[in-house]
Structure formats: C-alpha cells, structure tokens
Amino acid sequence: MKIDVHQHIWTAPLLEALTRRAELPFVRLEHDLTVLFLAGERPYVIDRNGEAAARRAALLQTDGLDGALVCLSSPVGIETLPREQSLELIDAYHEGALGLGDPFGVWGAIALDRPDPADIDRALDLGCVGISIPAGALGGFEQLARLHPLLRRLSERDAPLLIHPGPGGPLIAGETSLGDPLWWPALTRYLAEMQAAWLSFVCVGRRSHPELRVVFAMLAGLAPLQYERLCARGGPVGSHEDRRIFYETSSYGPSAVQKLTELLGAEQILYGSDRPVIDPNSMIAISRLDSDRLAESTREMLGETCVVAR
C-alpha cells in the first residue's frame, strides 16, 4: 500500500473555529477569499473548493497513491496557544480530519501548554494513527525533557510520532519582514527547527525512548547529512543508524532523497508531499521510489495493527 504520510486538509470545522477567533491565528473571508492570518508569516489564501474530501481523494488516485495521512499545520501555531484556546481548535481539527474517512488517516494533535499524556490517549482513542508535534517543542534538551511524559505515553501505546516544522512557543506577530520572500521561513526557520529537533532526539531523546517510532518531516531538514560534523564536535557515533527513525520526502527532490538514501538506507525513507502547500509533481514523485520497499517501511512505521485505507 502506497501512503503519503504528510498532507494537510483545511476542513470546515477547523475553518469555522478559526473564523470565530479575534486573535491570531484566525481566518477571515475577504472578497470571496478565505484568508488565514498567523503570527510570523504572511497571510495565506485557502482554496476551500480544492480542499473538498472528494477532490483530495481524486488527487491521491492521480498521484498513484492508496491513501494519505493528514496532520495539523504546526506553523499556524495552534499547539502553542494557551491550553483552552489550543484544545478548542484541536478538537475542531480532529472532528474535521477524522470525518474525512477513507482513504485518509489522521495524525493527532496535542496542546503544548501544560502538556498532558491524557491528550495522547484521547487522540489515539478517537482513531488517530499517531501524534504530530512541532519541531520547535523538541529543539533543545530542556524542551525535550518537558515532553518526556508525552513521548513515554506514545511508546506505551505503540504509536508513532511525526515531527513537523513549527514553533515550540508562541510566535510574535510581525516577526516576518514584508521584504522577505514567501519562501523565507521554509528555508530558514523550518530548517533550523527540524535540524535542532533531530539533534535533540538522536543525541538524548532516543536513550529515554528506545522503542518510539519517529517520522521527521522534510527529511529532517537534511540534518543527518551533518552526521560527520556531529561526530567531529563530540556527538554520539552511530546516531544516524536508527531503524526506528523515518524520514519523509516533502519539499525535496531526487538529489536530496538519493543522498539520504545512501546514508540511511532506503528502508528509512517514506513518501510525503505536504500537499496542498507543495505540488508533489514538482518534487520527488512516488513513481521514483521503490513501491515494495516503501510499503514495507510505511507498515513498520505505523505498526502492524494500524490500517489507513480500507
């Protein structure tokens, strides 16, 4: 089964919840456009017609896929809001995403303000395949220690973790200059967040959570390619040789995927597109990856009891 492990879908319950907000992040309808306003980035226009479940399912068929896992877009900053506000939006996200039905599975989301392992249980009991967490929340040893109870509960539940670019704390409105190109955060902040989360987990987190299966979005910002420098600076030898860490391909093409495959092995690579943020046809195509190896890697990441598309 060929699964895209990283997509986003803006469902009606989440958009409606964001429309009711008076503080960032929020959604506004302007001149027949649905516009997302968020701290730290430019406003984003959401194509509501293109987000319809039937339309997105049809795109999966066009891409040669059997299913997809959708997750909350962490750069929006929902997980880092005050707990009550965060939970309201996360509940709306879960309602909409889980309501999509086949062929979609769902990465659950949790509030980072006063993190509670019971939130993990609630998301998994709803039917989520695992949990996604913003990379910024794991971007240092102290931040990682704060999340140990959550990661322990994930291990106990035998569910995987998706590490997605996004802040570990509240963003300040206006941090992004209007002179910056639209792609600036994705090539600066996102990369730094993913690389710091990778270093934090492989150097410290793995010792505390030896059984946890982890997926790094966007090839962990190519952090494993820094392995030689990590060793030269006193980091742990063999930190990249971890068969329970997987890397999905979103926003990268054949050159980067090949380099990571040579270093890590094809069995650690998963397919992810980041649709609708990225047009997957402009990046690595599913047809460029070994279908049998990809299906086996996806099963190993999700666990034997998890079914995405039925």
Side-chain angles (χ1 to χ4, degrees), residues 126-193:
L126 284 172
C128 296
V129 302
I131 300 294
S132 68
I133 292 180
L138 299 156
F141 299 158
E142 290 185 3
Q143 294 99 312
L144 182 65
R146 182 171 174 265
L147 295 186
H148 276 328
L150 300 181
L151 303 187
R152 186 181 306 115
R153 183 60 56 84
L154 267 177
S155 288
E156 292 169 351
R157 295 291 301 263
D158 193 28
L161 169 68
L162 171 68
I163 300 177
H164 188 286
L171 286 172
I172 300 173
E175 277 189 345
T176 298
S177 168
L178 293 177
D180 292 339
L182 290 173
W183 47 260
W184 188 258
L187 270 293
T188 55
R189 189 173 72 240
Y190 292 10
L191 286 176
E193 290 166 349

Side-chain angles (χ1 to χ4, degrees), residues 257-274:
V257 172
Q258 180 62 32
K259 290 293 184 183
L260 263 293
T261 300
E262 292 172 0
L263 177 66
L264 303 169
E267 62 273 14
Q268 306 313 119
I269 304 299
L270 304 177
Y271 177 73
S273 71
D274 201 13

Side-chain angles (χ1 to χ4, degrees), residues 128-254:
C128 296
V129 302
I131 300 294
S132 68
I133 292 180
L138 299 156
F141 299 158
E142 290 185 3
Q143 294 99 312
L144 182 65
R146 182 171 174 265
L147 295 186
H148 276 328
L150 300 181
L151 303 187
R152 186 181 306 115
R153 183 60 56 84
L154 267 177
S155 288
E156 292 169 351
R157 295 291 301 263
D158 193 28
L161 169 68
L162 171 68
I163 300 177
H164 188 286
L171 286 172
I172 300 173
E175 277 189 345
T176 298
S177 168
L178 293 177
D180 292 339
L182 290 173
W183 47 260
W184 188 258
L187 270 293
T188 55
R189 189 173 72 240
Y190 292 10
L191 286 176
E193 290 166 349
M194 295 302 299
Q195 292 188 2
W198 184 83
L199 288 166
S200 178
F201 187 81
V202 301
C203 293
V204 174
R206 176 51 88 202
R207 293 201 299 268
S208 300
H209 308 284
E211 300 302 318
L212 182 63
R213 301 188 303 280
V214 181
V215 182
F216 281 92
M218 47 180 279
L219 298 179
L222 303 184
L225 294 182
Q226 304 299 324
Y227 168 68
E228 293 171 329
R229 181 172 174 82
L230 173 63
C231 292
R233 294 286 180 158
V237 175
S239 54
H240 66 303
E241 298 173 349
D242 190 324
R243 295 308 173 213
R244 290 181 177 269
I245 294 181
F246 301 86
Y247 303 83
E248 61 89 1
T249 60
S250 63
S251 77
Y252 284 101

